Amino acid sequence: MHCRLFILFFLVYMFGGLDTQAQTPEIDSLESKLANTPPDVRQIKILSKLSWKLRDSDLKKALNYGIRSLKLIAQFKHHKAAAQTNNYVGVIYRNLNQYSNAITYYYRALKAAQTNNQPIQIAYAYNNIGEIFKFQNRLKDAGQNTQKAIDMFKKLNNKGGEAYAHLRLGEILQKQGRVEEAYNAYSEAAKIRENMPKQPRLDVVYNRIGNLFLEQKNYDQTFVYLTKAKEANIRNNVRGTGIYSVEVSFAKLYIEQNQLDKAILIAQNTYKKAQEIPSKPLMATSLKLLSEAYALKNEHTKAYEYQQQYIQITQEFVNTQNRYKINVLESIHQLEQKQSELELLKKEQREVILRRNFVYALIGSVLLLLGLLSVLVYNNQAKQKANMLLQIKNDQIDSKNQDITASITYAQRIQQALLYLEDANSFMPDYFVLFRPRDIVSGDFYWVEKAKGKIFMVAADCTGHGVPGAFMTMLGSQALSNIMIQNKVYDPAQVLLHLDMILRRTLKSKDTMIRDGMDIAIIVIDPQKHEMQYSGAKNSLILVQNQEVQEIKGSMYSINGHRPVEVDAGYETHTIDISIPSTFYMYSDGFQDQFGGKKGRKFMKKRFRELLHTISRQPMKEQKATLDKVLNAWMLGHDQVDDILVMGARWPGKST
């Protein structure tokens, strides 16, 4: 049956007249009207409608029409159209995987809708913003925005919006591993759309449910729902990415069932069509499926070729996403220039003081000749003038200082949002993080995630501290999300190689000789196997088992560090049995390099390792408190010299 249905869908798709790239008569008609309509309010509506109609099949055209519409909205002050069109442009950027641009337009839509009292567009904006938070793994924020949209759509009795929001809620719940709740949310979306006229985009909901069953390896139900999605596609003449997303789901299913030739045939076609749209996410998915299928067929040359193409296109995506972080951080980078201005003002202040003292001395010499009265008069005038000038400079410095501090404090909120471990307690309940930035923002960062049943923990020490270090932490955390969560690279040594490659390309190290990078330790825990894998770039792992402590050292080379081109970085994955109770620590060098004590010396690595061994039997919260207490006592009378990060965790081993 599966085979017959596959052949039927393939023949209909390839030869049945369903040209997904050809324009529909409706689009042709709209473009004809556009050509004959002057650039006024009437043209705004046509452009906006075209951008929405083409959002899945021709992204370049769709974006062009949407931006043109927004320009006319601004020109003619047609404010009521702003919210919907901004939402449309945000969706197009989302389909291009340009999330930074997407959320920018979503927030513009929200502001316009609130200003013009358009509750439906407010609800759509909240729903769209929630989806971007989902992509950023800010799942709590994603859920709150999406639930707000659901409540508003229900109050407005807007069934289309309510179904759309339930679909997004299902995606968030699925990402959290809440399978039954995700199924209920998808089912609610399907129920609403099934009862609507023309049953709009039922294929999307069925596709999501099919993939949910695929994750649970329930292949029969997967096939049922993907078939329903395919039938809905054909019935409603869906075009572009809507069709191909179902096709790649079939390819995933066929790979799982070892029907590799079918999977390859589909993936080759979706890759070709994705290039025409163009849709880089769909291109990447198709290439990955082709690599996996050929690898399973033991055709390793083809598998390698597709893998290289996949790496190239995902690298382009990583760079695009890094631009988002770089755009955020460009404002932070400007703070360094402001700090230089502050130093210049301080220098001018010192010069004013010197000039004042010189004036005092000169006046004093003259006044010795003119007498006591002249001394008092001239001294008072000079003092008032010098003090006034000094006060002006002080006011300028205070104002600059306030601006810089406010900007860096805002950067701190951005960094804290990236480091927030909202969901970590649900899958890693027994751990602590001791985190003390030297300045307002930090060059150290930590990263904890869970995906595909595996737990990832990272501790990293970036080049520098303060603003320059914070720049690198945001690049690093974003790159890790792309490598491990989106691209599903789980071997720690491979993660380090990808991270090294990304930083070298992003910073153009070969051309610029920039060697800003990071020392980093990565662990991947497989709870089912009671196995932990570790790899490090200079940073070590401290492991305590059966009251014995050992240090597992990382490679001698940092990420993006200096090394000859022909020299291998030497990143190595160490596999550790954690079926017995195990306590482990990752850390930056800030604690052990801190000056203090009676003689003002460094704490040192040996003393730090002995301290960890001594406290390893304590509950994790008490361990953090002990480290805090020891550090405070050691630093008494000494300034903090570097960012400090210590991560500790305890794994219980197999239950008895």
Side-chain angles (χ1 to χ4, degrees):
M1 177 182 175
H2 290 193
C3 183
R4 289 198 302 272
L5 280 172
F6 169 76
I7 294 171
L8 172 62
F9 292 144
F10 178 74
L11 290 173
V12 170
Y13 179 70
M14 296 298 290
F15 305 112
L18 186 61
D19 183 358
T20 59
Q21 295 303 107
Q23 294 194 165
T24 64
E26 182 182 9
I27 292 172
D28 290 336
S29 174
L30 286 169
E31 290 186 330
S32 177
K33 285 183 181 178
L34 180 66
N36 296 307
T37 303
D40 55 17
V41 173
R42 290 172 298 169
Q43 198 178 89
I44 291 172
K45 185 176 181 180
I46 299 171
L47 287 166
S48 183
K49 195 169 184 178
L50 277 168
S51 72
W52 184 248
K53 292 292 183 182
L54 291 165
R55 71 191 183 281
D56 288 325
S57 57
D58 193 331
L59 297 178
K60 289 183 179 179
K61 260 192 176 183
L63 184 59
N64 175 52
Y65 288 139
I67 297 299
R68 284 174 60 186
S69 179
L70 288 175
K71 287 180 178 178
L72 289 177
I73 288 170
Q75 180 181 344
F76 291 100
K77 298 181 180 180
H78 189 48
H79 303 305
K80 288 187 177 181
Q84 184 181 64
T85 307
N86 274 293
N87 266 324
Y88 286 175
V89 173
V91 169
I92 296 163
Y93 274 121
R94 179 208 66 189
N95 290 348
L96 287 164
N97 266 36
Q98 296 183 25
Y99 300 145
S100 58
N101 288 333
I103 201 165
T104 298
Y105 282 93
Y106 289 156
Y107 274 122
R108 289 177 182 174
L110 179 60
K111 183 178 179 181
Q114 290 171 335
T115 301
N116 295 291
N117 191 25
Q118 296 171 297
I120 289 179
Q121 291 303 319
I122 293 173
Y124 273 113
Y126 278 130
N127 196 47
N128 291 333
I129 291 167
E131 185 184 24
I132 300 300
F133 285 147
K134 178 199 72 175
F135 290 135
Q136 295 177 330
N137 285 318
R138 295 172 57 183
L139 301 182
K140 182 178 179 181
D141 292 332
Q144 289 174 346
N145 278 273
T146 305
Q147 189 59 55
K148 192 180 293 186
I150 290 174
D151 294 340
M152 290 189 70
F153 282 130
K154 284 183 176 179
K155 187 176 180 180
L156 295 166
N157 195 29
N158 187 298
K159 292 299 182 182
E162 186 181 345
Y164 187 29
H166 275 293
L167 178 70
R168 295 289 173 248
L169 180 62
E171 293 169 350
I172 296 164
L173 293 167
Q174 184 176 353
K175 201 165 188 179
Q176 292 174 319
R178 297 157 66 179
V179 176
E180 186 174 348
E181 294 173 79
Y183 176 77
N184 291 338
Y186 288 144
S187 297
E188 184 65 25
K191 179 182 176 183
I192 293 171
R193 289 185 174 179
E194 285 168 351
N195 291 316
M196 291 176 66
K198 298 184 180 179
Q199 299 183 329
R201 297 315 302 268
L202 260 175
D203 58 297
V204 177
V205 188
Y206 291 150
N207 191 19
R208 296 291 190 280
I209 298 174
N211 276 277
L212 184 65
F213 279 118
L214 184 59
E215 282 188 5
Q216 310 307 310
K217 299 191 182 301
N218 186 338
Y219 301 137
D220 289 340
Q221 285 298 311
T222 300
F223 190 83
V224 167
Y225 277 97
L226 293 186
T227 301
K228 291 172 73 172
K230 185 76 173 185
E231 290 170 345
N233 271 336
I234 297 171
R235 184 169 60 251
N236 295 321
N237 197 23
V238 174
R239 298 169 181 274
T241 56
I243 284 183
Y244 308 133
S245 61
V246 178
E247 294 291 338
V248 296
S249 296
F250 269 112
K252 292 176 186 176
L253 172 63
Y254 291 139
I255 287 176
E256 287 283 331
Q257 295 178 320
N258 205 32
Q259 299 182 53
L260 304 178
D261 290 334
K262 291 182 180 180
I264 289 169
L265 185 62
I266 291 174
Q268 285 175 335
N269 187 60
T270 56
Y271 176 64
K272 177 184 175 183
K273 296 298 183 181
Q275 289 177 298
E276 298 172 3
I277 292 176
S279 172
K280 286 188 177 179
L282 186 62
M283 290 162 63
T285 302
S286 301
L287 289 168
K288 187 176 182 183
L289 291 172
L290 286 167
S291 177
E292 290 175 2
Y294 277 115
L296 290 170
K297 290 186 71 175
N298 293 321
E299 295 185 28
H300 298 297
T301 300
K302 286 187 176 180
Y304 177 78
E305 290 174 356
Y306 283 116
Q307 183 188 39
Q308 292 305 303
Q309 292 181 58
Y310 168 73
I311 290 172
Q312 181 181 356
I313 199 169
T314 52
Q315 179 58 45
E316 291 173 1
F317 170 65
V318 168
N319 289 338
T320 300
Q321 297 309 302
N322 279 342
R323 290 190 199 106
Y324 167 49
K325 295 301 178 187
I326 292 169
N327 289 339
V328 173
L329 286 166
E330 278 178 354
S331 60
I332 300 174
H333 181 64
Q334 291 170 3
L335 299 179
E336 292 179 295
Q337 296 176 329
K338 292 184 180 180
Q339 287 173 327
S340 298
E341 294 172 11
L342 179 61
E343 291 298 325
L344 182 61
L345 284 170
K346 287 181 178 179
K347 182 179 178 182
E348 292 175 4
Q349 180 190 33
R350 289 192 295 269
E351 292 174 355
V352 169
I353 293 171
L354 288 173
R355 288 197 297 271
R356 182 187 67 177
N357 292 338
F358 175 75
V359 170
Y360 284 167
L362 180 61
I363 292 174
S365 299
V366 174
L367 291 180
L368 287 172
L369 300 173
L370 298 178
L372 180 61
L373 183 59
S374 298
V375 170
L376 292 173
V377 172
Y378 282 102
N379 184 59
N380 185 57
Q381 291 177 344
K383 185 176 180 180
Q384 287 181 352
K385 183 177 180 180
N387 285 342
M388 184 180 298
L389 184 59
L390 184 60
Q391 184 61 46
I392 291 171
K393 292 299 180 183
N394 282 335
D395 291 343
Q396 290 176 340
I397 291 170
D398 287 342
S399 177
K400 288 284 184 180
N401 202 19
Q402 289 174 8
D403 289 345
I404 291 167
T405 302
S407 298
I408 297 178
T409 302
Y410 182 75
Q412 180 191 41
R413 293 203 300 270
I414 297 173
Q415 188 175 56
Q416 287 174 343
L418 289 174
L419 298 177
Y420 183 47
L421 302 179
E422 173 192 349
D423 301 318
N425 288 329
S426 64
F427 55 80
M428 197 70 191
D430 207 10
Y431 75 99
F432 73 81
V433 177
L434 174 64
F435 182 58
R436 287 194 187 184
R438 198 200 78 166
D439 303 309
I440 297 176
V441 288
S442 173
D444 290 357
F445 75 93
Y446 51 90
W447 192 82
V448 181
E449 286 287 353
K450 182 179 182 182
K452 298 298 181 182
K454 298 178 185 290
I455 299 169
F456 313 105
M457 299 183 73
V458 174
D461 180 359
C462 297
T463 302
H465 45 74
V467 172
F471 181 88
M472 293 301 300
T473 68
M474 294 194 182
L475 286 180
S477 60
Q478 178 67 13
L480 286 169
S481 293
N482 263 280
I483 295 166
M484 302 176 78
I485 303 304
Q486 295 189 20
N487 294 331
K488 299 179 176 57
V489 178
Y490 298 148
D491 182 274
Q494 290 297 315
V495 173
L496 293 180
L497 285 171
H498 279 72
L499 185 60
D500 184 71
M501 176 182 69
I502 289 170
L503 287 191
R504 289 179 187 275
R505 289 185 180 178
T506 303
L507 300 175
K508 297 181 174 60
S509 301
K510 183 178 179 181
D511 300 324
T512 63
M513 299 305 292
I514 293 176
R515 283 292 178 250
D516 290 334
M518 64 188 70
D519 301 338
I520 184 170
I522 300 176
I523 63 171
V524 179
I525 297 174
D526 190 329
Q528 298 298 321
K529 296 181 179 179
H530 289 280
E531 183 179 275
M532 179 170 71
Q533 292 184 317
Y534 152 79
S535 187
K538 296 194 79 172
N539 278 7
S540 301
L541 175 73
I542 299 296
L543 176 68
V544 181
Q545 292 179 321
N546 294 325
Q547 307 309 319
E548 294 183 359
V549 62
Q550 61 173 312
E551 178 183 6
I552 305 174
K553 294 186 176 181
S555 164
M556 65 183 292
Y557 293 110
S558 299
I559 299 298
N560 196 37
H562 286 284
R563 70 172 188 272
V565 176
E566 69 276 3
V567 174
D568 180 53
Y571 303 133
E572 180 182 358
T573 295
H574 301 267
T575 301
I576 302 162
D577 179 12
I578 54 172
S579 60
I580 59 175
S582 307
T583 305
F584 46 89
Y585 305 92
M586 299 184 291
Y587 49 89
S588 67
D589 57 10
F591 200 120
Q592 62 195 36
D593 286 349
Q594 178 60 44
F595 288 96
K598 293 181 180 180
K599 297 182 179 180
R601 295 178 178 175
K602 288 186 178 182
F603 195 85
M604 301 303 291
K605 179 178 178 181
K606 181 180 178 182
R607 183 187 284 115
F608 179 57
R609 177 174 166 176
E610 289 172 352
L611 174 61
L612 293 178
H613 189 201
T614 302
I615 68 174
S616 61
R617 297 185 187 182
Q618 299 177 3
M620 302 310 288
K621 288 185 179 179
E622 291 184 17
Q623 291 190 35
K624 180 181 179 182
T626 301
L627 289 172
D628 263 321
K629 183 178 179 181
V630 171
L631 186 58
N632 289 335
W634 180 259
M635 288 176 59
L636 194 62
H638 293 80
D639 292 332
Q640 185 173 330
V641 298
D642 198 0
D643 301 311
I644 295 172
L645 170 64
V646 183
M647 295 181 71
R650 177 175 288 131
W651 191 258
K654 289 185 178 179
S655 58
T656 56

